[in-house]
Amino acid sequence: MNITFFCTCLLENLFPGVAKAAVELLETFGHRVRYHAEEICCGQMAFNAGYRPEAKKLAAHLIACLADDEIIVTPSGSCAAMVRRHYADLFRGDAAMVDDAAELGKRLFELSEFLVAFGDLGKVHGDLNARVYFHQSCHLTRELGVTDQPSMLLSKLKGASLVGPERQAPCCGFGGAFSVKFPEISSVLLGDKAAEIALSGADLVAACDMGCLMHIWGGLRRRGSTVPVYHLAEILTGRGEAPSLP
Amino acid sequence: MRFTTAAFASAARKAARDPRIREVFTRAGTRLIENRDAAYAEAPGMDLARDAAREVRQKGIDDLQRWISVLEDRLTDQGAKVHHAVTARDACHIIAGILNRAGIRDVIKGKSMATEEVGLNEFLQSQGIDAVETDLGEYIVQLAGSAPSHIVGPAFHMTRADVRAIMERRLGERLSDDPEDLTRAARTVLRGKFLSAGAGITGANFIAADTGTIVLVENEGNARMTATLPRVHIVLAGIDKVIPSFSDIPTLLRVLSRSATGQGMPVYVSFVTGPGRGPLSGLPPKDLHVVLLDNGRSRILADPVFREVLLCIRCGSCLNICPVYRTIGGHAYGFAYQGPIGSVLAPLILGLESAAALPFASSLCGACREVCPVRIDLPRLLVELRSRVVEKKSKRRFDPAGAVEAGLIRAAGWLMETSSRRGRFSRLARAVSRPLVRDGRIRRLPYPLSKWTRSRDFPRPPGRTFSAWWEKRDRHA
């Protein structure tokens, strides 16, 4: 299929390796990937910080940028959720923009959601031979409803087993700007998450959101843990490459 | 002002550093949510029950003035007196006035967050009127001279040992740690108060407009005794407690206790319809006073976004599941309502200026929205409050912190505007951060980014954007 890749500002500027892995993954599955370098940001950070005009500007730009793309895939649960769940609120009172936003939402997928929805499970191959703690990000699960797809994909890798709580675990404490506005609370929740990961006996940690991952990774390393931390895209290639986060 | 919401940020920071607070509130919250989940799982159709509960509450607030008017007529017909308190102060004066005119100096209280909201007990005390809490948790908190830390379990912050220590000191008798022993001691004192009080003050879980029925939900029975024993019964309730019809009650009861404590039904549900007593009972007729409290609710109702918060049935689930509440406990919020619902109500009732920090103390995880029996989109309301705070700050002439933050957001937007600008910044960031890097990670960043590195490592800037990689790949394709 012809896919447009929505990189997200976090991956563009801080984790290009993850974006690269996601593109290569999509290509491995036989898709033709396009990318618009004019894309900037979905506006989530500004919106959540209370800066509606700035968020609107960024969101309007994204909607325009992706107006002609049939299918858009992004390796970020929270960015996909921003578009699909919050653009209507962001543009409330502006019926035309609300419509455009809704229309974009219909064409935009989170990566794992896309891969499973379009039946690409069979194309996942390779060895993992590890116990994976998959971190279920809040927006990915609660706002997008993507609860099973990542584990469905991971279980296709040889030797992969999922460890950790069956049910939705509490928030890791990232929450975007919350992580620096209330760092004391954020780090308590991070400590709980790190303890949970240690308890699970996981060989590696994975997730579909780099925001959560950089926070979890940062906490693990600070505590002296060397557990590898991967974005899902980096694992699914099955090539066993090193993750972006060292 | 007795509420300390203005000091929230520092109170929250302090509380987050106290592991005992986290232990107590995490244990309580976890237990209550487990009970809640079990209660929801055992009954069929609970998802639909929540939809129905929301619908009933929505029907109420969509035409609230009408239902209040219907209620007032009904109550007046029954011989009850209706009072309208516009502000918290009004509520205190109205209630003190009722008591003074009746010459009442001793009052018993059923648990009522509305009375906490208006600071009734302190006001009555200043008028020489003694108000004793009869809910066991509230009584203990009152003995301790402290404030409730949870809207359903006011004494959650106290351990059994704390309770024993306070009760021993205040009641002057040796007590054991055994809950039965402690309860017996409280009961002995409270029985005396029940029998001698001139008036009973309760809140209301709901008030049905068509029948004028005040609904009291509880597990102890003290609210029923407070409402029935003394000759005077005063009800203080927010106007948002008014529901259109008596027939709406089961829909709400179906979700209330399951959400609050995991019980299928509360132990006591009392319907107070009209003053009661009179000739047949041989007892003198009661004086029933219903004080309807506005305190900003009409203003909230008029706001198309915030009116949703008036659907709340005060079950406390959002507190129980909130990772922030579990970490910092209830007192840090400094208000009658805590947790996610408190973070929305505080700025709306007390004003944005007094409670500006509360809406930001959330990672927006959405757990509260997930458990709310009437499906209030609390994260949405928190984000909306954030934008109102930012908007208000932008109008202030002197606000350096606000100006810096706004500047950063706009600078980030500018920097990210083109791929070439992003590429240049990426190279700059890599170069500038080189001295800070150890083993491929950054351990310390200067203020304000030190707020990150205090507890976490930060990744090394990659020095190259995805766009740059893509462009190179594209060119070679």
Side-chain angles (χ1 to χ4, degrees):
Chain A
M1 295 171 71
N2 289 324
I3 309 270
T4 300
F5 183 66
F6 167 36
C7 180
T8 79
C9 68
L10 188 61
L11 269 58
E12 157 77 341
N13 294 294
L14 212 48
F15 304 110
V18 171
K20 178 169 171 274
V23 168
E24 287 175 347
L25 185 68
L26 288 163
E27 288 174 338
T28 310
F29 287 15
H31 302 294
R32 258 190 308 280
V33 182
R34 216 171 26 150
Y35 167 68
H36 302 303
E38 307 86 66
E39 73 162 65
I40 301 175
C41 171
C42 68
Q44 184 190 189
M45 178 98 176
F47 179 65
N48 287 344
Y51 290 84
R52 284 184 83 103
E54 288 78 4
K56 264 194 229 180
K57 196 164 152 227
L58 290 163
H61 177 89
L62 187 74
I63 291 171
C65 187
L66 300 171
D68 299 324
D69 298 286
E70 278 175 6
I71 296 202
I72 303 132
V73 179
T74 183
S76 165
S78 66
C79 300
M82 177 66 197
V83 174
R84 300 217 308 243
R85 291 287 301 254
H86 300 290
Y87 271 14
D89 189 14
L90 180 58
F91 290 111
R92 66 170 189 257
D94 185 340
M97 282 309 291
V98 169
D99 276 347
D100 287 347
E103 210 274 322
L104 171 61
K106 291 195 197 117
R107 297 176 278 126
L108 187 111
F109 295 85
E110 181 275 333
L111 179 66
S112 69
E113 178 187 39
F114 172 77
L115 292 174
V116 170
F118 288 89
D120 281 304
L121 276 176
K123 295 211 178 92
V124 179
H125 58 259
D127 293 357
L128 187 61
N129 296 317
R131 286 164 301 196
V132 183
Y133 179 98
F134 182 78
H135 167 67
Q136 296 188 296
S137 302
C138 298
H139 293 84
L140 183 76
T141 50
R142 295 193 173 110
E143 298 196 348
L144 289 179
V146 175
T147 48
D148 303 322
Q149 292 91 324
S151 52
M152 286 166 77
L153 290 160
L154 281 166
S155 60
K156 288 290 180 193
L157 291 169
K158 200 154 146 260
S161 65
L162 284 138
V163 296
E166 292 264 321
R167 311 194 42 198
Q168 178 85 25
C171 179
C172 68
F174 174 61
F178 171 77
S179 61
V180 289
K181 284 197 181 225
F182 288 93
E184 295 81 7
I185 305 175
S186 175
S187 65
V188 165
L189 300 176
L190 176 56
D192 289 346
K193 182 62 67 175
E196 210 176 271
I197 289 168
L199 201 69
S200 73
D203 299 308
L204 61 97
V205 176
C208 291
D209 277 274
M210 285 314 291
C212 301
L213 280 171
M214 68 186 266
H215 166 81
I216 293 172
W217 167 87
L220 287 170
R221 294 295 173 266
R222 182 60 59 93
R223 283 164 175 76
S225 164
T226 54
V227 172
V229 175
Y230 285 89
H231 186 281
L232 187 70
E234 297 177 301
I235 301 182
L236 289 179
T237 56
R239 290 202 292 264
E241 283 170 5
S244 277
L245 286 163
Chain B
M1 183 79 243
R2 345 168 269 124
F3 295 130
T4 55
T5 52
F8 173 77
S10 61
R13 267 199 298 276
K14 190 158 172 244
R17 290 193 213 109
D18 187 342
R20 290 168 308 169
I21 291 178
R22 187 186 356 145
E23 210 227 304
V24 161
F25 285 91
T26 299
R27 198 164 2 107
T30 307
R31 178 175 48 89
L32 286 167
I33 290 296
E34 278 169 6
N35 293 348
R36 175 239 178 235
D37 289 347
Y40 269 72
E42 68 159 16
M46 286 310 292
D47 248 4
L48 291 173
R50 285 165 73 185
D51 293 338
R54 184 185 168 101
E55 227 177 277
V56 154
R57 292 292 282 148
Q58 192 71 58
K59 200 171 28 124
I61 68 159
D62 278 348
D63 217 350
L64 191 57
Q65 288 312 323
R66 174 175 160 216
W67 304 123
I68 291 172
S69 176
V70 168
L71 174 67
E72 185 159 6
D73 288 344
R74 201 80 199 86
L75 284 170
T76 310
D77 284 343
Q78 289 163 350
K81 294 203 190 54
V82 179
H83 312 259
H84 295 276
V86 176
T87 65
R89 215 175 144 67
D90 285 345
C92 290
H93 280 286
I94 288 166
I95 293 173
I98 296 165
L99 297 169
N100 283 328
R101 279 192 297 279
I104 293 169
R105 280 285 35 69
D106 290 286
V107 156
I108 46 173
K109 288 189 68 217
K111 182 163 79 71
S112 161
M113 288 305 129
T115 64
E116 295 286 335
E117 183 188 326
V118 305
L120 183 66
N121 292 7
E122 284 95 324
F123 185 80
L124 291 180
Q125 192 168 55
S126 74
Q127 301 270 301
I129 298 169
D130 183 45
V132 178
E133 296 288 348
T134 63
D135 170 273
L136 185 59
E138 280 274 44
Y139 176 62
I140 292 163
V141 165
Q142 186 175 48
L143 286 181
S146 153
S149 59
H150 186 288
I151 60 176
V152 172
F156 274 173
H157 57 286
M158 298 176 81
T159 61
R160 226 185 279 178
D162 292 334
V163 174
R164 183 182 67 135
I166 286 292
M167 287 184 74
E168 274 191 350
R169 188 159 74 234
R170 294 298 302 270
L171 301 183
E173 54 178 286
R174 295 280 299 140
L175 294 164
S176 76
D177 256 6
D178 181 54
E180 272 193 48
D181 195 25
L182 296 168
T183 309
R184 180 205 44 78
R187 189 180 196 243
T188 308
V189 174
L190 291 174
R191 276 297 150 103
K193 306 282 182 186
F194 276 121
L195 295 171
S196 62
I201 302 176
T202 68
N205 292 82
F206 311 109
I207 308 181
D210 60 354
T211 56
T213 300
I214 293 141
V215 182
L216 298 171
V217 163
E218 58 172 329
N219 285 328
E220 294 178 23
N222 62 296
R224 181 177 287 182
M225 279 174 65
T226 301
T228 55
L229 276 177
R231 200 182 56 78
V232 179
H233 178 200
I234 302 171
V235 177
L236 178 69
I239 56 174
D240 50 325
K241 296 303 184 82
V242 178
I243 59 176
S245 166
F246 188 87
S247 60
D248 295 328
I249 296 170
T251 308
L252 298 171
L253 289 184
R254 189 158 173 74
V255 297
L256 179 56
S257 292
R258 283 180 203 271
S259 296
T261 55
Q263 294 165 281
M265 272 292 282
V267 178
Y268 296 89
V269 181
S270 307
F271 296 152
V272 176
T273 307
R277 291 204 195 151
L280 282 177
S281 66
L283 291 162
K286 283 185 72 106
D287 266 344
L288 174 61
H289 296 264
V290 179
V291 184
L292 295 171
L293 176 69
D294 192 308
N295 204 23
R297 287 160 175 75
S298 297
R299 200 182 359 103
I300 295 169
L301 186 65
D303 188 304
V305 177
F306 293 127
R307 64 204 312 251
E308 195 190 6
V309 82
L310 298 177
L311 300 175
C312 177
I313 62 174
R314 304 285 193 265
C315 72
S317 296
C318 58
L319 282 72
N320 298 335
I321 204 163
C322 179
V324 173
Y325 176 84
R326 285 182 181 187
T327 302
I328 65 176
H331 286 147
Y333 293 83
F335 190 42
Y337 312 100
Q338 308 86 21
I341 190 72
S343 299
V344 175
L345 288 175
L348 291 176
I349 291 175
L350 301 174
L352 280 177
E353 303 273 358
S354 312
L358 278 93
F360 292 89
S362 167
S363 63
L364 304 175
C365 76
C368 52
R369 178 184 54 220
E370 211 168 56
V371 294
C372 177
V374 289
R375 304 196 196 280
I376 299 173
D377 193 345
L378 285 157
R380 180 191 182 219
L381 300 179
L382 290 169
V383 171
E384 183 67 27
L385 280 165
R386 293 175 186 192
S387 71
R388 304 280 176 105
V389 167
V390 166
E391 205 190 323
K392 196 155 198 192
K393 279 187 177 180
S394 73
K395 298 200 176 103
R396 252 197 248 148
R397 258 181 314 151
F398 185 71
D399 178 24
V404 166
E405 189 185 75
L408 280 170
I409 299 246
R410 281 179 209 129
W414 180 84
L415 273 169
M416 297 196 297
E417 221 174 334
T418 66
S419 60
S420 56
R421 211 177 280 161
R422 296 193 295 262
R424 282 198 302 275
F425 183 71
S426 184
R427 289 191 292 279
L428 178 68
R430 176 98 174 167
V432 162
S433 62
R434 196 167 295 127
L436 299 167
V437 178
R438 303 264 179 286
D439 294 329
R441 318 192 300 264
I442 295 173
R443 315 299 165 92
R444 233 197 266 148
L445 285 166
Y447 188 85
L449 297 166
S450 54
K451 291 188 180 199
W452 179 279
T453 51
R454 253 187 259 153
S455 55
R456 294 154 286 218
D457 286 358
F458 194 81
R460 181 179 194 177
R464 198 185 184 214
T465 59
F466 170 75
S467 295
W469 173 82
W470 178 271
E471 205 213 345
K472 194 153 168 232
R473 195 184 84 140
D474 234 16
R475 261 190 279 133
H476 290 210

